[in-house]
Amino acid sequence: MEPLVHRLGYVALNVSDLEGAVEDAQLIAGASLVELTADRALLTSNARHAELIMHRADHSSLRAIGLETLDPAHVDEVARRAREAGLRIVSETPSLPVIEKSVTVAFPEGHVIEVHTPMPRDRPRRYAGPGIHPRYLDHANLTAADPAASAQLMMQVLGLKLSERTEGWELAWMRAGDGRHHTLGMAKSADGGGLHHYSWEFADFADFKRLGDVLDAQDRTLVWGPGRHGAGDNIFAYYVDAAGFLVENTAEMEIIADPHFQPRIVDPGENLSNFKVVNRWGQLPSREWMGHFNACAVLG
Ligand SMILES: [Fe+2]
């Protein structure tokens, strides 16, 4: 069966300095501001109404991940599977008025996922302004104390497919209907359920050079990369944004079209030392990258 979700819909973050976080996303990533109210900002990098959503809060945390489905009936199927698995349905009212239909589910380690009908394509495809101007927001890598259980439950409820995992499930990468090697990743963390990073898709390798230079102009640096991941075959570079989130920028991710694809099982090496899986160009991750963690927001 086709995955129930087609692609990443949005990433929603809680941030303590909303204006500062918005300015950072505009200046560095080059996202376009769609709407800024007293307590919420919507940003996008293309025609989609919102991709990066920021809420004013006491501290930075992962609020929710949106996954876009092409079929409204799949929203009902996700709700059915979530109830069957004993998960809490947080809401069946869409989080944004522009979304027609959705269900929001809380997973056991605190991840909140909204499966929703497509975000309207009501923004200009291109826009003026500073920063890199990525193509779209493409994936998020979550953390869990028990990544095998969390990943398997998400595959069961959301219909994601396993593309690749490490032998002990320390890392797992799951794809949606668009075939990208991963739309959601899962990594083992002693900190428990949270977000390791979210990722923009860049158009060109020249964008990575500009990213380094834009960060340098602000007396900031990349925390890892550029390099090429073995898992996903994607080019990457990471920085930490003003709100304290780890932001990946990626290009050329592997597309898996084969419906019968057998997941790869790989050995990451001790402390992610296997270059062939971690970074085929050789530089191993920084301590800052390895230890990065943002918690899930606590549901009211
Ligand atoms: Fe990533």
Side-chain angles (χ1 to χ4, degrees):
M1 184 182 172
E2 280 288 291
L4 296 172
V5 291
H6 186 69
R7 56 158 293 154
L8 185 71
Y10 67 80
V11 171
L13 307 172
N14 283 345
V15 300
S16 55
D17 175 4
L18 181 61
E19 287 75 16
V22 167
E23 184 184 19
D24 196 71
Q26 291 175 297
L27 279 179
I28 309 296
S32 169
L33 183 62
V34 175
E35 178 186 302
L36 176 62
T37 61
D39 54 8
R40 186 182 71 190
L42 307 181
L43 297 115
T44 190
S45 67
N46 51 56
R48 307 177 73 249
H49 187 80
E51 296 189 300
L52 181 61
I53 302 173
M54 293 174 169
H55 292 256
R56 194 186 302 280
D58 292 337
H59 59 272
S60 293
S61 60
L62 172 63
R63 186 180 181 99
I65 300 281
L67 296 175
E68 200 170 283
T69 182
L70 302 179
D71 185 345
H74 287 175
V75 173
D76 298 325
E77 175 62 12
V78 168
R80 188 192 69 74
R81 292 187 186 191
R83 288 193 174 94
E84 189 177 74
L87 299 180
R88 176 180 164 196
I89 306 284
V90 178
S91 176
E92 294 191 82
T93 302
S95 61
L96 294 176
V98 294
I99 295 174
E100 281 179 17
K101 182 178 169 79
S102 80
V103 62
T104 303
V105 177
F107 284 81
E109 294 214 33
H111 305 109
V112 172
I113 295 185
E114 179 179 19
V115 172
H116 58 86
T117 52
M119 193 69 79
R121 270 65 170 173
D122 60 2
R123 305 296 302 170
R125 180 182 288 264
R126 295 181 185 82
Y127 49 88
I132 312 302
H133 291 217
R135 296 175 66 204
Y136 45 83
L137 208 58
D138 84 298
H139 74 266
N141 277 42
L142 308 174
T143 65
D146 186 345
S150 279
Q152 285 166 335
L153 190 56
M154 286 184 187
M155 288 189 280
Q156 177 189 326
V157 173
L158 307 171
L160 295 166
K161 304 288 183 191
L162 185 66
S163 296
E164 189 157 350
R165 67 171 174 86
T166 59
E167 289 162 351
W169 285 87
E170 300 87 355
L171 297 163
W173 296 271
M174 299 170 283
R175 70 183 179 282
D178 65 2
R180 295 178 68 83
H181 177 275
H182 52 283
T183 287
L184 284 187
M186 191 67 69
K188 187 173 180 66
S189 171
D191 295 308
L195 176 70
H196 184 259
H197 65 264
Y198 70 89
S199 177
W200 296 104
E201 165 95 0
F202 278 2
D204 193 286
F205 193 64
D207 287 345
F208 290 82
K209 181 172 85 171
R210 285 194 55 232
L211 175 65
D213 288 340
V214 167
L215 288 167
D216 174 44
Q218 295 206 340
D219 299 324
R220 294 157 66 179
T221 62
L222 294 167
V223 299
W224 188 25
R228 186 186 289 280
H229 288 309
D233 200 37
N234 50 315
I235 297 169
F236 66 83
Y238 296 82
Y239 68 95
V240 176
D241 74 5
F245 292 96
L246 183 59
V247 184
E248 181 181 11
N249 306 276
T250 191
E252 300 184 7
M253 187 184 282
E254 177 184 9
I255 301 291
I256 298 172
D258 178 0
H260 308 295
F261 180 81
Q262 291 301 308
R264 296 187 195 105
I265 299 173
V266 293
D267 173 10
E270 193 169 349
N271 293 321
L272 300 182
S273 58
N274 183 354
F275 296 106
K276 291 296 186 190
V277 172
V278 176
N279 179 7
R280 302 183 72 95
W281 294 354
Q283 177 200 26
L284 292 176
S286 62
R287 204 178 303 169
E288 190 178 2
W289 186 93
M290 295 271 272
H292 193 89
F293 174 77
N294 290 101
C296 293
V298 177
L299 280 174

